[in-house]
Amino acid sequence: MKNLLLWMLAGLMMTACTSQPKSQKKESPKKVLVLYFSVTNTTKQLAEYIQQKTNADIEAIEAVNPYPTDFEGTAARWQEELKANTLPEIKPLKANFDDYDIIFLGYPIWGDRYPLTIKTLIKTGALNGKVVVPFATSGSSSVKQSVVELKKDVPTIQVADAFCVRSALMDKLPIFVDRELISLGLIEGENEVLADFSEMREPTAEEIALFEQSFADYPRMNGTKAASVASRTTSRGTDYKFIGENNGAKMEIYVTKEKGDTAPYFTAVDR
Ligand SMILES: Cc1cc2nc3c(=O)[nH]c(=O)nc-3n(C[C@H](O)[C@H](O)[C@H](O)COP(=O)(O)O)c2cc1C
């Protein structure tokens, strides 16, 4: 707990799906609750991974009237609720939040924010003053905007860390999640100390090709151009931070190319 509190006091918070140097070690056992909302079970999968690794208690946040599981159906219901300014009712939760040192709060990213079920939970006051680690899954977005929103909606919340995993990268959970759990002192291990990214520069033709290949299976990014790039070498390969442009909108796109004959993939987009 000491490390965690020191971290919070120092204002050291991670909000993107990107890797940063961390190397805290496990101290005394902490009581952890993993709380999550999930419509198509992607966030559930991530929640269960965290639960298993940390030996935590786990509970799902469920809408009384469940959301449809197809994208269009969920989006339509969510838009209706936004328009009507109503919040979905959620089933009562069994966990007593005061019993826990840390609450992992998981959700899918909707419109770069968290779903309204999380707003409903916030309205109950259950998160006031709690130490929370938001975690999310998304198609591409980072968790950043939702953390800004969370801190605005619950000013007394203590956000200890935050991370998200793209739904297309669920087979890489140990890579993305273990370092967060190590840095929070929840599991044993030593994190690689990662170098800073280089200065931004014009991308080479090879880097542009790699950039485009990284979202070949994600059509929403089609047409995005790489304006500039920074990179760093890691033990696994090379990380890139591209500044991309699409229809006048600028964004940061994080791409990893692992060593060997592997396809590059993007890990997050900060819009
Ligand atoms: C209504 C709706 C809005 C979404 N908005 C975004 C978004 O803004 N950015 C993004 O990267 N993914 C977005 N997604 C994709 C989900 O975040 C992603 O599929 C997530 O992993 C689903 O989690 P779940 O299976 O736990 O419900 C959206 C999905 C839905 C249904």
Side-chain angles (χ1 to χ4, degrees):
M1 196 67 199
K2 201 175 96 216
N3 273 343
L4 188 64
L5 290 173
L6 281 174
W7 263 48
M8 288 182 304
L9 285 173
L12 291 172
M13 196 201 75
M14 262 279 291
T15 54
C17 291
T18 54
S19 309
Q20 295 288 322
K22 297 172 182 179
S23 60
Q24 275 86 352
K25 278 193 188 148
K26 192 178 172 187
E27 293 180 348
S28 58
K30 294 165 193 127
K31 196 100 182 1
V32 179
L33 173 66
V34 179
L35 198 61
Y36 70 94
F37 172 69
S38 181
V39 174
T40 48
N41 292 338
T42 319
T43 312
K44 181 180 184 205
Q45 196 184 328
L46 174 52
E48 288 175 347
Y49 181 82
I50 297 168
Q51 186 257 323
Q52 282 156 20
K53 294 291 287 191
T54 61
N55 205 17
D57 293 338
I58 188 164
E59 187 166 1
I61 298 164
E62 292 178 88
V64 170
N65 175 18
Y67 283 82
T69 50
D70 62 299
F71 175 84
E72 286 75 19
T74 316
R77 157 103 175 260
W78 173 56
Q79 287 299 326
E80 273 167 30
E81 288 169 339
L82 286 174
K83 220 160 136 191
N85 203 18
T86 56
L87 291 179
E89 206 182 324
I90 59 171
K91 294 184 185 171
L93 291 163
K94 295 182 190 80
N96 177 0
F97 290 12
D98 290 338
D99 291 345
Y100 297 94
D101 299 311
I102 305 172
I103 298 169
F104 280 79
L105 177 67
Y107 45 83
I109 299 290
W110 287 1
D112 273 339
R113 303 292 205 273
Y114 44 68
L116 294 175
T117 44
I118 304 298
K119 287 243 182 215
T120 307
L121 173 70
I122 286 169
K123 281 243 160 181
T124 67
L127 296 176
N128 292 351
K130 296 284 177 277
V131 177
V132 172
V133 178
F135 68 96
T137 66
S138 73
S140 62
S141 302
S142 84
V143 73
K144 210 170 183 172
Q145 288 303 327
S146 72
V147 174
V148 171
E149 189 185 23
L150 186 64
K151 287 165 131 186
K152 201 171 99 219
D153 285 350
V154 195
T156 57
I157 208 163
Q158 301 177 67
V159 178
D161 198 344
F163 57 94
C164 87
V165 180
R166 289 189 55 222
S167 52
L169 301 177
M170 295 304 282
D171 58 338
K172 295 184 188 295
L173 286 185
I175 295 171
F176 298 122
V177 183
D178 289 5
R179 63 180 299 114
E180 310 292 341
L181 302 180
I182 291 169
S183 73
L184 285 162
L186 295 174
I187 62 170
E188 298 274 6
E190 197 71 39
N191 278 334
E192 179 180 355
V193 178
L194 298 172
D196 290 337
F197 278 99
S198 65
E199 294 290 311
M200 277 285 169
R201 59 174 190 277
E202 212 174 297
T204 62
E206 199 184 320
E207 286 168 337
I208 290 172
L210 180 136
F211 173 73
E212 288 173 0
Q213 207 191 336
S214 77
F215 52 80
D217 60 353
Y218 195 76
R220 275 166 193 262
M221 294 284 289
N222 283 351
T224 308
K225 301 280 174 234
S228 52
V229 66
S231 60
R232 69 175 170 205
T233 305
T234 72
S235 62
R236 293 178 49 237
T238 308
D239 290 340
Y240 298 88
K241 179 165 75 172
F242 286 94
I243 301 296
E245 278 180 9
N246 198 337
N247 281 327
K250 282 199 173 185
M251 61 201 95
E252 277 182 2
I253 301 144
Y254 292 85
V255 174
T256 292
K257 170 70 183 81
E258 291 176 9
K259 284 176 188 161
D261 189 18
T262 56
Y265 55 87
F266 75 97
T267 54
V269 179
D270 269 342
R271 293 185 173 84

